Amino acid sequence: MVRSLHVMIMYVLCHLGLIFFMFPADIIASTEQGHWFPILIGIIVHFVCLLTYMKGLSFFPTKDILSIFSKSKKGVTFLFFAPILLYLIMAIIITVRAYAEIVTLVFLSHTPLWTIILLLLSVSAYISYKGIEAILRAAFLLFILFFPILLFVLIMSFQNVDWRYAIPFDTDLGFISKPAYFESYFAFAGGFLFLGFVQPFFSYERKNVILSAIFLIPFFLFSVYIPILTLGQASASKAFLPFVLIVDSINIDWLMFDRVTMFFLLSLIAFIILYLSLSLWKAIRIINYYIPKSRPSYLLFGLSVAIFFVCFWIPDWKDVENILFMNSFLRSYVLIVVPLFIYYIGRRLKRKDTNETI
Amino acid sequence: MKLSNKNVIYLICSLLTMVLILSGCWDNKDINHRLLPVSIGVKKVDDQYLVILNIPVPIDGSMETKIVSAKAETVSKAVDTISRNMESDVDLLHVKLIFIEKETAEDGINDIIAGFMRSRDVSPKALVAICDEDLQEFFNNIKINAEKKGLSTYNYFEKNAGWNPDIALTRVWEVFRGIHSYTHDVAIPLIRSGKDTTMDQIGSAILKRGKMVEQISSNETLLYNVFKGESGNGKMEVMEHATVMLLGSKTDNIGRLVNNDAHMESLIKMRVVILETKGEPSLNLIKEEINTLISERYNKLFTKLQENEADVFGMGQFFRNQIPRDELKNWRSDYFKNMKININVKIDIQNEGYLKTT
Amino acid sequence: MEQMVLDIKKALGGNDDFFIKRDYLLENEVLLLGLNTLIDITKTKTIFQKQSEGLISQGKTSETIFILMGELFEDDTKKAITSILEGKLIIYIENTKKFIIYEPVPKGLNRSIEVPSNESVIQGPSNSFTEDIDTNIGLLRKQLTSNKLLVHSFTTGKNQKTKISLLFINGVVDKELVENINSLIEKNKSMDISNLQSLSKMLGFSSWDTISKFNTTELPFHASQFLKTGRVVILVDQLPFALILPNLLWDMFIVESDRNFPFPIMITIRCLRVIGALIALISPGMYVALVAVNPEALQIELALSVAQSREGVPYPALVEVIIMLVVLELILEASIRLPKSVGPTITMVGGIILGQAVVEAKLVSNLLIIILAATTIANSTLVGAQSSLSIRLFKYINVILSSLFGVLGLVVGLVFISSYLASLTTFGKSYLYLNIGRKEQ
């Protein structure tokens, strides 16, 4: 159904935007060989959480995650939502800051950082102001516009691949203890929360979301394996953004453009803007739930300004990484506790219902 | 979430003007105010780098070549010095060729290459060549020969222009990989200025871990390219009884570890056409001749490489599944040096031209 | 004279074309009232006479005859005045306070049905709408012979009476949409409608929308196809085109007469239009981005030749592009303004002389001329005057953002435009729907 399609596309785009930047470097840093294993673990965790979350939500058709708790006391539910809100805001800060940094690094070396932060934030605030319908529809349009470019570059990036670098396959569990590995979960945890927020506006079928999650698996693998297959683990681990480096070394004679990286990165940034606007929208929904009197547009404006100043205040990349690591705890909360809790409540409700009907 | 539309317009307008007013002032230089060097030469003099740039400058509708140089502690400082002294900004964004003087290469070029990889200005797909004469002189000769053709040095290496199968095509990222990889070394074209032509290719330099250790001839470079799978199209081989032209080639390699000794089986399949014959040689004789010629050349090349422990063919790649990663680190010294290589050449004569050969 | 006639005279007597004539109908003295600029009096009188004689010979009573002649009203001055202004003949029967609104022979004030002047058709029906709303409805009825085609007509306006008709196909159209439009028109009946802006105000649309809520067409054929896909057509008297509601993004790329070609050709043509829209949006911004901020994205040969062609241009790329774009818009606007006989001159002056000279004087680079030509041509491939104007406006967003942020600005501009388009809705129908007939639930 068409509505499912929108949710599916949004789900894919959010993750695509997050996958190709920090994720490969984190995975490459967390293990020396057999990278498929940490990726696979990540994907499995992702699927388990996603399924639990959607199963939990399915007990409450046509309700979003906020109205599930509408009967409970606000103070109690706040304990549940506060970490989510904090996570969302932190994720927005990290994403904006990191991507602004990447943009200056890759193609706008003369442009001051804060203008890029301002640009990213203002456009995403504008989109999120327009509401969830507009976000999902814009996702559809952007998917048609930019996904072919992304796919083209992705296929092209196999140009310099030496498949033998994939060997050896054997692997160990050493990556579990690496902080870089936990940072890599940023790519998994970012997107799926919105499924709980779109319910009354956009209904979707669980099957379709699973399909889009499956669709993403090759992207997770390629983003790590293309740098490794081209450069080898030893050289790839030296790169800050391995995938970007690989795309930069693609040589296409017949194109009028020289650096295809640019187009690849830009299409990803288009997706990231969508991700940001979605996150902003979610954050505003939560805040507005607790401060119902204020107008969402003012909240949005205030939040964006606050985020802008925080981003501006973060001095360098090391701090971004620190925040990313600190964010790991909240991330595990969002990834594990939230789906489980929703599922638990759903089950309890269902049991109560069946008891009553008997 | 609805503001009145008028407010939205005001908001957008004010944001736009803010952006315009606040950020119109960083220096975006138009393309005609930038100097775009095509090639850069680097030479180490004592503790300093001598950097020479070859810049095509449009003058009255035609391109002229400008050679400028500067000396400084680092490459980027030298470029900066040049930029300061020139009337426009020097932008390394379009550098396609990096020349390094032979002595410098023998000392090791790790820092230079890492510098190019780190800065995003120079694309990682720029080609690297080693210059077998004084760099200053080389550039001056280029200028004389390439009068009015700003891009001739670049075209020399362009695959769809002046490239020949006996020129090694090695890009910055490949050199970078060669420095860090356990199993891959690279060959870099060895160039000197020609008397009538812009450049003369005298063979290739073998780089081991970023240091030039050996030099191979053009004929041997062809083998290197054939082995790498670059097309050997159009290359002629002259033998005692015939001249043939190479149409295509394919290599199959099987690596085996016997008693911790590396054994390599290589099957090289070549497709050729006959151009000229002397006397009336049979097809089998011609095949035999090519076979011995190629095998001998390969064997000689391998001996040379093994002496220097430089694995430009990436033979180690075929042993990745048999040698654990820890030992692979010492591939060059422990295994490659004593590797047994068995080369078989299989020749297919695709056609014989308009005349029949008995 | 009687009070009512005096009232009418008071309201309209200031007009020299207002007439009151005495006549007889049966034994009754009647007054004929009307505007001689709208009514062909001689013909009307002849027909009127013939009709009444025929009825008399059948031996009908005067009461019946009055009813048969036209609509019979009693003592309704307001109605009478409105009818006169609409070009009706009032037959006032003296001493009875009754009057008949009689359908006269109108003066030939309408042009005949011609081929469309602003839309061209390749191999399709090429009748076009005229100013007369009844003719237009008739044209549509002829295109779409169906008992499901419903016409709702309204007369709106306080000072200026305008007839508006709402057409839709029952069963195909979304009921809610029709009800919404109906109730809005009823509610704002007192508004004067003379252009699309006032109509949008009547229907409660924001006046700041950059994309028109209406899709317009001059061709009854297109209008009927839209009706079939569940759209609503609004006809306004004296506007020689149909307004199709809601307007969708996809309408920019399709023309119904495309379907007269084989399917693969139709697809190709439509793809071409999509490419046209993208080129028109992107290419000026792309030029600015590549020249001013991100020259590394160009192949070196191209970069050098661009640099060469810009040698000696004294201002930044943004100014260069804006100047030329404005000149181009001026040419476009001027060629609309000018009579058809002078139009080609402007094209020549603009195209050849300006284009050549401006490059030779090194005011702009010759690449830019090519880019601008491509933009304008691409822009013209879009269907519908309204949509192509919007695209023309949107490209400036891209140009400005590109000058600040290079290719990033271009992409962000596209994201912005996409999200703007995505946020547009008309009566709950998103602008991005492919087909509103299909129910989304």
Side-chain angles (χ1 to χ4, degrees):
Chain A
M1 248 193 287
V2 182
R3 296 254 159 163
S4 288
L5 187 68
H6 282 100
V7 175
M8 279 167 81
I9 286 176
M10 190 72 217
Y11 191 81
V12 169
L13 294 196
C14 273
H15 285 92
L16 281 183
L18 294 173
I19 287 173
F20 286 97
F21 292 98
M22 273 93 94
F23 180 69
D26 287 336
I27 292 288
I28 291 172
S30 60
T31 182
E32 284 235 312
Q33 58 186 44
H35 301 85
W36 58 272
F37 192 57
I39 304 174
L40 191 72
I41 298 260
I43 290 172
I44 289 172
V45 170
H46 175 93
F47 266 92
V48 169
C49 297
L50 178 67
L51 283 172
T52 324
Y53 188 51
M54 284 203 298
K55 183 75 194 160
L57 286 169
S58 71
F59 292 121
F60 311 95
T62 72
K63 263 189 183 175
D64 72 346
I65 191 168
L66 285 162
S67 47
I68 287 174
F69 294 99
S70 54
K71 281 178 199 151
S72 324
K73 270 191 194 135
K74 276 200 174 175
V76 182
T77 60
F78 188 71
L79 284 178
F80 176 71
F81 282 113
I84 299 182
L85 180 64
L86 199 62
Y87 170 76
L88 285 173
I89 293 175
M90 268 176 102
I92 296 168
I93 292 171
I94 294 167
T95 320
V96 170
R97 185 61 174 69
Y99 281 74
E101 192 79 49
I102 289 166
V103 165
T104 48
L105 196 74
V106 181
F107 45 77
L108 286 174
S109 41
H110 294 300
T111 316
L113 193 65
W114 65 268
T115 54
I116 296 169
I117 296 175
L118 186 68
L119 181 76
L120 291 179
L121 262 178
S122 53
V123 173
S124 18
Y126 170 78
I127 303 175
S128 88
Y129 160 75
K130 290 287 186 184
I132 187 71
E133 294 245 354
I135 295 174
L136 293 199
R137 287 188 202 290
F140 186 70
L141 216 55
L142 291 178
F143 180 80
I144 294 172
L145 276 178
F146 291 113
F147 191 70
I149 302 177
L150 185 93
L151 213 57
F152 169 75
V153 177
L154 198 67
I155 291 166
M156 273 305 179
S157 62
F158 281 93
Q159 196 183 46
N160 299 316
V161 158
D162 183 346
W163 292 100
R164 289 179 290 262
Y165 272 120
I167 306 166
F169 285 122
D170 48 331
T171 180
D172 52 39
L173 281 167
F175 57 86
I176 293 287
S177 58
K178 297 269 174 59
Y181 184 63
F182 292 100
E183 282 166 30
S184 81
Y185 273 85
F186 193 62
F188 292 113
F192 77 106
L193 213 55
F194 86 97
L195 294 173
F197 285 84
V198 295
Q199 273 283 20
F201 306 98
F202 278 78
S203 56
Y204 55 88
E205 278 177 31
R206 264 188 291 165
K207 193 180 68 199
N208 289 328
V209 178
I210 301 283
L211 273 182
S212 52
I214 291 170
F215 177 77
L216 281 171
I217 294 177
F219 291 96
F220 278 112
L221 282 172
F222 289 153
S223 72
V224 176
Y225 265 100
I226 289 175
I228 286 181
L229 294 180
T230 317
L231 285 177
Q233 160 73 21
S235 327
S237 63
K238 298 261 184 310
F240 167 51
L241 297 168
F243 198 85
V244 176
L245 188 70
I246 295 311
V247 177
D248 228 352
S249 54
I250 302 173
N251 192 37
I252 308 174
D253 293 329
W254 47 266
L255 209 67
M256 72 178 276
F257 299 112
D258 194 28
R259 299 207 173 175
V260 279
T261 345
M262 199 165 271
F263 300 95
F264 176 76
L265 281 185
L266 290 170
S267 40
L268 290 181
I269 282 177
F271 301 158
I272 277 297
I273 291 177
L274 269 183
Y275 168 74
L276 284 175
S277 59
L278 190 66
S279 302
L280 271 174
W281 179 78
K282 283 184 279 187
I284 293 299
R285 290 276 298 178
I286 296 177
I287 297 176
N288 201 35
Y289 182 71
Y290 289 103
I291 318 173
K293 272 181 195 150
S294 59
R295 279 170 67 175
S297 47
Y298 292 148
L299 283 178
L300 182 65
F301 186 72
L303 186 66
S304 312
V305 171
I307 289 173
F308 173 74
F309 281 109
V310 175
C311 288
F312 194 54
W313 163 79
I314 298 173
D316 59 27
W317 186 258
K318 276 278 159 295
D319 295 292
V320 177
E321 284 198 330
N322 281 339
I323 297 176
L324 194 60
F325 182 65
M326 269 155 40
N327 194 241
S328 297
F329 304 107
L330 285 173
R331 199 175 308 134
S332 44
Y333 174 82
V334 166
L335 203 58
I336 297 162
V337 179
V338 173
L340 281 178
F341 194 63
I342 297 283
Y343 182 72
Y344 166 73
I345 291 183
R347 281 299 292 273
R348 213 179 57 174
L349 182 97
K350 200 182 169 195
R351 216 170 289 146
K352 226 198 284 173
D353 279 0
T354 41
N355 287 344
E356 274 165 16
T357 46
I358 293 164
Chain B
M1 303 236 279
K2 259 287 182 253
L3 268 176
S4 88
N5 276 304
K6 231 174 233 170
N7 285 348
V8 181
I9 301 295
Y10 289 147
L11 199 76
I12 294 166
C13 285
S14 56
L15 269 177
L16 260 179
T17 41
M18 215 166 81
V19 170
L20 274 175
I21 293 166
L22 291 176
S23 58
C25 35
W26 64 82
D27 53 335
N28 281 333
K29 285 213 169 69
D30 283 351
I31 196 165
N32 49 330
H33 298 300
R34 303 187 193 211
L35 290 172
L36 304 169
V38 197
S39 48
I40 179 172
V42 183
K43 173 191 183 178
K44 211 167 183 183
V45 187
D46 303 328
D47 264 350
Q48 290 198 311
Y49 287 104
L50 173 72
V51 173
I52 307 177
L53 298 176
N54 171 357
I55 309 169
V57 187
I59 292 170
D60 294 330
S62 71
M63 283 288 168
E64 280 186 19
T65 308
K66 211 174 206 172
I67 305 290
V68 282
S69 63
K71 211 188 264 182
E73 293 81 39
T74 60
V75 176
S76 49
K77 181 81 175 55
V79 173
D80 195 47
T81 317
I82 295 173
S83 185
R84 212 176 328 121
N85 296 336
M86 298 289 286
E87 69 275 12
S88 314
D89 235 22
V90 172
D91 232 328
L92 293 186
L93 296 168
H94 275 293
V95 168
K96 296 282 172 194
L97 275 170
I98 297 166
F99 292 106
I100 295 166
E101 209 184 89
K102 199 175 166 191
E103 277 96 69
T104 314
E106 279 164 356
D107 281 351
I109 54 172
N110 292 11
D111 292 344
I112 301 173
I113 294 296
F116 285 131
M117 285 297 278
R118 184 184 300 276
S119 85
R120 66 140 224 133
D121 282 356
V122 178
S123 163
K125 63 184 181 213
L127 293 163
V128 185
I130 289 183
C131 178
D132 192 23
E133 64 185 314
D134 185 62
L135 207 60
Q136 197 84 47
E137 210 170 296
F138 172 73
F139 270 88
N140 286 337
N141 286 338
I142 285 182
K143 193 190 173 183
I144 296 163
N145 283 324
E147 210 59 72
K148 302 259 157 96
K149 277 180 283 166
L151 291 176
S152 64
T153 47
Y154 158 61
N155 281 337
Y156 186 78
F157 290 97
E158 226 358 57
K159 241 189 167 169
N160 44 17
W163 181 77
N164 262 320
D166 49 9
I167 304 175
L169 267 184
T170 306
R171 302 179 184 280
V172 176
W173 67 266
E174 283 174 300
V175 180
F176 180 74
R177 176 176 72 180
I179 292 170
H180 296 286
S181 175
Y182 303 155
T183 51
H184 242 152
D185 286 304
V186 280
I188 298 179
L190 204 57
I191 298 286
R192 61 164 62 221
S193 55
K195 284 196 185 68
D196 308 314
T197 50
T198 319
M199 282 182 280
D200 276 357
Q201 201 246 11
I202 50 175
S204 297
I206 300 295
L207 236 66
K208 180 197 165 189
R209 294 218 158 222
K211 267 186 193 166
M212 178 174 163
V213 288
E214 182 59 81
Q215 181 174 334
I216 57 174
S217 69
S218 313
N219 277 336
E220 287 165 332
T221 310
L222 173 71
L223 298 183
Y224 168 71
N225 278 336
V226 165
F227 202 93
K228 257 177 61 177
E230 298 269 6
S231 83
N233 257 358
K235 177 63 190 167
M236 276 177 253
E237 286 296 342
V238 185
M239 291 157 305
E240 206 175 321
H241 287 106
T243 302
V244 293
M245 187 169 77
L246 199 58
L247 283 185
S249 57
K250 216 182 140 211
T251 333
D252 285 331
N253 299 295
I254 300 165
R256 264 180 301 122
L257 215 57
V258 182
N259 299 332
N260 230 16
D261 268 341
H263 284 259
M264 190 79 183
E265 287 283 337
S266 279
L267 176 66
I268 300 164
K269 288 181 203 156
M270 286 180 163
R271 282 186 300 127
V272 295
V273 286
I274 297 172
L275 295 179
E276 280 175 59
T277 51
K278 272 182 205 159
E280 296 257 316
S282 68
L283 279 182
N284 278 337
L285 181 67
I286 296 174
K287 278 190 186 175
E288 201 58 39
E289 266 188 358
I290 308 173
N291 208 328
T292 35
L293 182 84
I294 302 281
S295 317
E296 260 174 33
R297 223 185 261 165
Y298 260 116
N299 283 326
K300 222 171 105 194
L301 177 60
F302 274 120
T303 328
K304 210 190 248 180
L305 292 175
Q306 282 182 324
E307 272 167 24
N308 289 301
E309 300 172 16
D311 184 9
V312 291
F313 291 98
M315 294 282 189
Q317 292 291 69
F318 299 94
F319 294 92
R320 286 189 84 92
N321 50 350
Q322 294 161 45
I323 303 173
R325 199 174 159 76
D326 289 338
E327 287 177 43
L328 207 62
K329 274 179 190 155
N330 306 320
W331 158 256
R332 291 182 178 93
S333 52
D334 290 359
Y335 297 91
F336 182 67
K337 200 170 181 184
N338 307 312
M339 189 169 76
K340 304 269 180 307
I341 305 160
N342 189 14
I343 288 173
N344 297 305
V345 184
K346 189 170 172 272
I347 306 289
D348 282 327
I349 296 179
Q350 188 162 324
N351 63 55
E352 300 144 30
Y354 283 138
L355 296 181
K356 278 187 182 168
T357 318
T358 45
Chain C
M1 238 182 267
E2 284 171 56
Q3 189 53 45
M4 187 179 153
V5 179
L6 284 175
D7 283 347
I8 295 174
K9 203 174 174 184
K10 201 171 149 198
L12 298 169
N15 295 307
D16 290 338
D17 56 351
F18 177 68
F19 65 85
I20 300 176
K21 289 201 169 136
R22 227 162 249 288
D23 208 328
Y24 290 91
L25 179 61
L26 294 174
E27 289 79 50
N28 300 308
E29 253 182 65
V30 293
L31 289 173
L32 303 181
L33 296 89
L35 292 171
N36 62 22
T37 42
L38 294 175
I39 299 169
D40 190 332
I41 301 170
T42 339
K43 273 189 192 162
T44 310
K45 258 189 157 176
T46 326
I47 292 173
F48 170 67
Q49 228 87 50
K50 263 189 196 157
Q51 202 177 356
S52 54
E53 271 164 28
L55 287 170
I56 293 164
S57 64
Q58 284 170 19
K60 300 265 157 91
T61 61
S62 55
E63 263 322 290
T64 342
I65 289 173
F66 292 154
I67 293 163
L68 287 172
M69 293 289 284
E71 290 173 89
L72 193 65
F73 287 92
E74 209 172 329
D75 205 17
D76 189 347
T77 321
K78 239 187 180 170
K79 180 80 193 167
I81 292 173
T82 319
S83 308
I84 291 174
L85 286 174
E86 278 172 4
K88 301 277 161 39
L89 183 73
I90 300 289
I91 306 170
Y92 184 80
I93 303 143
E94 277 195 284
N95 306 324
T96 56
K97 284 189 175 176
K98 282 182 186 165
F99 65 92
I100 305 167
I101 299 178
Y102 183 73
E103 197 65 50
V105 178
K107 275 250 168 96
L109 291 178
N110 292 315
R111 60 187 168 112
S112 56
I113 298 164
E114 289 160 1
V115 289
S117 51
N118 300 322
E119 267 172 89
S120 49
V121 191
I122 304 176
Q123 304 211 326
S126 48
N127 276 342
S128 79
F129 287 121
T130 68
E131 281 74 12
D132 184 41
I133 190 166
D134 295 324
T135 318
N136 290 348
I137 296 173
L139 279 170
L140 264 177
R141 282 227 184 261
K142 213 169 176 189
Q143 274 290 342
L144 205 93
T145 320
S146 159
N147 57 350
K148 292 208 171 127
L149 175 64
L150 294 188
V151 181
H152 287 184
S153 287
F154 310 86
T155 307
T156 63
K158 208 177 206 171
N159 305 315
Q160 180 202 350
K161 305 285 172 199
T162 314
K163 210 172 143 192
I164 295 179
S165 292
L166 187 71
L167 289 87
F168 55 91
I169 293 186
N170 209 6
V172 181
V173 78
D174 185 359
K175 286 246 170 59
E176 214 176 309
L177 182 67
V178 176
E179 271 162 29
N180 266 326
I181 298 175
N182 260 338
S183 65
L184 275 169
I185 295 180
E186 284 301 339
K187 197 174 120 199
N188 300 321
K189 229 176 173 177
S190 58
M191 284 186 179
D192 290 341
I193 304 298
S194 51
N195 49 35
L196 290 195
Q197 274 191 16
S198 47
L199 189 64
S200 330
K201 206 171 265 172
M202 177 185 231
L203 295 178
F205 301 144
S206 155
S207 44
W208 279 100
D209 281 329
T210 330
I211 295 243
S212 170
K213 295 278 188 198
F214 306 103
N215 184 12
T216 58
T217 177
E218 281 186 276
L219 296 160
F221 172 62
H222 287 175
S224 68
Q225 296 301 321
F226 279 123
L227 280 174
K228 277 188 208 161
T229 55
R231 313 278 184 97
V232 171
V233 167
I234 296 179
L235 292 169
V236 179
D237 200 21
Q238 298 310 312
L239 287 185
F241 44 82
L243 309 169
I244 290 129
L245 222 98
N247 182 19
L248 304 183
L249 177 69
W250 191 234
D251 295 346
M252 217 186 272
F253 308 117
I254 57 165
V255 179
E256 271 312 313
S257 48
D258 288 347
R259 291 191 189 275
N260 292 333
F261 299 111
F263 189 71
I265 292 179
M266 180 187 92
I267 296 285
T268 324
I269 294 175
R270 289 180 178 178
C271 285
L272 213 60
R273 297 200 189 105
V274 175
I275 294 170
L278 286 177
I279 287 181
L281 267 180
I282 293 171
S283 62
M286 188 75 123
Y287 174 82
V288 176
L290 293 182
V291 164
V293 191
N294 295 113
E296 70 269 30
L298 286 169
Q299 290 279 15
I300 177 138
E301 291 94 339
L302 213 53
L304 287 174
S305 73
V306 173
Q308 200 166 348
S309 77
R310 257 189 70 82
E311 201 57 47
V313 175
Y315 26 71
L318 174 68
V319 179
E320 184 189 7
V321 168
I322 296 276
I323 289 177
M324 282 316 282
L325 277 177
V326 169
V327 170
L328 210 75
E329 307 288 359
L330 290 177
I331 294 175
L332 273 175
E333 190 57 28
S335 54
I336 296 169
R337 242 10 92 232
L338 283 169
K340 282 217 167 68
S341 49
V342 198
T345 324
I346 277 291
T347 325
M348 206 177 72
V349 171
I352 302 168
I353 302 178
L354 247 179
Q356 266 290 331
V358 102
V359 170
E360 259 174 34
K362 297 212 160 165
L363 290 177
V364 301
S365 81
N366 42 22
L367 182 71
L368 178 66
I369 301 287
I370 299 169
I371 297 263
L372 289 184
T375 310
T376 322
I377 294 167
N379 207 130
S380 321
T381 55
L382 298 181
V383 179
Q386 305 272 352
S387 320
S388 71
L389 280 173
S390 311
I391 296 285
R392 247 165 90 184
L393 184 67
F394 281 144
K395 71 173 175 249
Y396 288 94
I397 297 176
N398 280 338
V399 169
I400 290 170
L401 280 174
S402 301
S403 76
L404 294 176
F405 298 101
V407 195
L408 174 73
L410 188 64
V411 167
V412 172
L414 282 181
V415 172
F416 176 77
I417 292 167
S418 305
S419 58
Y420 176 71
L421 296 183
S423 70
L424 289 176
T425 50
T426 314
F427 297 119
K429 304 269 178 264
S430 166
Y431 185 58
L432 297 188
Y433 280 4
L434 281 185
N435 188 349
I436 59 156
R438 204 181 300 146
K439 282 269 171 3
E440 284 189 57
Q441 274 308 317

